[in-house]
C-alpha cells in the first residue's frame, strides 16, 4: 500500500511538472521577445532579451536599418567617418514623421543605428506611456546634449567613450505637448510626478540600452541620462545606475 501511494505521488508530481513545462512553452511561444533566439522586431513589446538583441546590432548597419524601416521609423543615413580610433560606419539621422512622434532638440544628431532603434522602442514602450500616466500629456521633444564625440570615457585617459563611435546619446530634458519642460537637473529628486516620470523612463531605458547612467551615478551625470549601446551589452555585462 505504501509503495502504491509513493508511486501515485510520483506520477502526480510528474504530471504537474509536465503541465508547468507545457504552460511555460506555450507562454514563451506567445511572447517571442522573451526568447534569446527569436528575431528582433521593433514593433514587439520589450522582452527579457530585447536589450541584448539591440546591442547585437552593433556593426550590423543594413540589418538594423531594415528593422527601422519595417517599424515605420524614418531616417537618413550619414556618410561613414574615420578619425583615428573614433568614427562610425552605421550612422544615421532620425527624420520627422513616420512611426515616431518625439523630436530631438537640437535636431538631426548623427547616431549609430542601434541607438536609434533603442530610442524608438523607448519612445513607444516607456516614455510616452509614462508621460501620459504621470504627467497627463505626451512628450513632443527630447532635449539632447550630444551623440558623436571623439573623446575618452569620463575619468579615463585611455578608454574610448561610446560617444566616440556614435553609440551613445545624452538626454537632458523632455518637453510636453502642454509646454511643460521636465529636466534632469531640476526634477530628478523628490517623489512628485516629475521625478517619478524621470525615474520610470530611466528604469525603462535599462531594458533597452547596454548602459544607462543617471544623476544617481555621479556628479558628472547630474543633468542628463547617458544611454549607450556598447557591443558588450549583447552578451556581457550591462549597467543601470
Amino acid at each position: 500500500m505504501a509503495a502504491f501511494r509513493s508511486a501515485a505521488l510520483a506520477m502526480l508530481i510528474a504530471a504537474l511538472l509536465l503541465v508547468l513545462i507545457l504552460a511555460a512553452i506555450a507562454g514563451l511561444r506567445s511572447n517571442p521577445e522573451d526568447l534569446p533566439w527569436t528575431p528582433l522586431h521593433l514593433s514587439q513589446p520589450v522582452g527579457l532579451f530585447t536589450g541584448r538583441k539591440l546591442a547585437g546590432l552593433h556593426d550590423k548597419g543594413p540589418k538594423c536599418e531594415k528593422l527601422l524601416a519595417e517599424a515605420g521609423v524614418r531616417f537618413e543615413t550619414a556618410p561613414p567617418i574615420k578619425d583615428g580610433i573614433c568614427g562610425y560606419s552605421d550612422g544615421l539621422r532620425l527624420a520627422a514623421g513616420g512611426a515616431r512622434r518625439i523630436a530631438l532638440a537640437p535636431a538631426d544628431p548623427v547616431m549609430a543605428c542601434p541607438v536609434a532603434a533603442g530610442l524608438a522602442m523607448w519612445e513607444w514602450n516607456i516614455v510616452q506611456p509614462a508621460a501620459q500616466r504621470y504627467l497627463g500629456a505626451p512628450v513632443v521633444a527630447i532635449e539632447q546634449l550630444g551623440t558623436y564625440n571623439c573623446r575618452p570615457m569620463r575619468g579615463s585617459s585611455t578608454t574610448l567613450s561610446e560617444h566616440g563611435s556614435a553609440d551613445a546619446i545624452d538626454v537632458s530634458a523632455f518637453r510636453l505637448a502642454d509646454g511643460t519642460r521636465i529636466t534632469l537637473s531640476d526634477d530628478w529628486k523628490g517623489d512628485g510626478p516629475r521625478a517619478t516620470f524621470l525615474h520610470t523612463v530611466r528604469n525603462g531605458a535599462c531594458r533597452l540600452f547596454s548602459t544607462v547612467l543617471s544623476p544617481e551615478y555621479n556628479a558628472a551625470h547630474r543633468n542628463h541620462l547617458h544611454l549607450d549601446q556598447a557591443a558588450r551589452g549583447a552578451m556581457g555585462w550591462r549597467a543601470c545606475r
Side-chain angles (χ1 to χ4, degrees), residues 28 30-58 63-64 67-68 71 113-126 203-211 228-236 238:
L28 289 174
S30 63
N31 297 281
E33 63 275 8
D34 290 332
L35 295 170
W37 54 81
T38 55
L40 172 66
H41 296 286
L42 304 187
S43 59
Q44 289 178 341
V46 180
L48 295 176
F49 289 89
T50 301
R52 295 191 179 277
K53 292 175 184 178
L54 287 168
L57 296 173
H58 190 80
K63 178 180 179 180
C64 182
L67 289 172
L68 287 176
C113 187
V115 175
L119 285 176
M121 294 196 72
W122 192 43
E123 171 185 335
W124 301 328
N125 296 278
I126 309 297
N203 295 342
C206 294
R207 303 175 63 194
L208 294 167
F209 292 89
S210 299
T211 310
D228 77 45
Q229 293 291 24
R232 58 161 170 76
M235 295 298 293
R238 302 168 65 80

Side-chain angles (χ1 to χ4, degrees), residues 107-207:
D108 302 328
V110 175
M111 65 189 73
C113 187
V115 175
L119 285 176
M121 294 196 72
W122 192 43
E123 171 185 335
W124 301 328
N125 296 278
I126 309 297
V127 175
Q128 293 293 31
Q132 291 286 5
R133 179 178 180 181
Y134 298 112
L135 305 173
V139 172
V140 295
I142 290 175
E143 296 181 19
Q144 53 88 22
L145 301 177
T147 52
Y148 178 67
N149 184 358
C150 185
R151 62 172 175 81
M153 187 181 299
R154 293 186 186 274
S156 172
S157 59
T158 57
T159 304
L160 182 67
S161 167
E162 293 300 325
H163 285 281
S165 55
D167 279 302
I169 185 170
D170 291 337
V171 172
S172 61
F174 300 83
R175 300 179 197 164
L176 305 185
D178 62 6
T180 302
R181 184 169 176 264
I182 312 296
T183 70
L184 272 294
S185 58
D186 295 335
D187 300 310
W188 178 261
K189 295 180 180 179
D191 55 4
R194 293 188 177 201
T196 301
F197 165 76
L198 290 176
H199 284 258
T200 299
V201 298
R202 187 277 307 272
N203 295 342
C206 294
R207 303 175 63 194

Side-chain angles (χ1 to χ4, degrees), residues 59 80 144 173 192 218:
D59 292 333
Q144 53 88 22
N218 61 16

Side-chain angles (χ1 to χ4, degrees), residues 171 184 188 198-199 201-203 206 211-227 239-241:
V171 172
L184 272 294
W188 178 261
L198 290 176
H199 284 258
V201 298
R202 187 277 307 272
N203 295 342
C206 294
T211 310
V212 178
L213 303 178
S214 72
E216 290 182 357
Y217 178 50
N218 61 16
H221 294 83
R222 65 188 179 281
N223 66 342
H224 69 276
L225 296 176
H226 168 92
L227 313 177
C240 177
R241 301 179 69 177

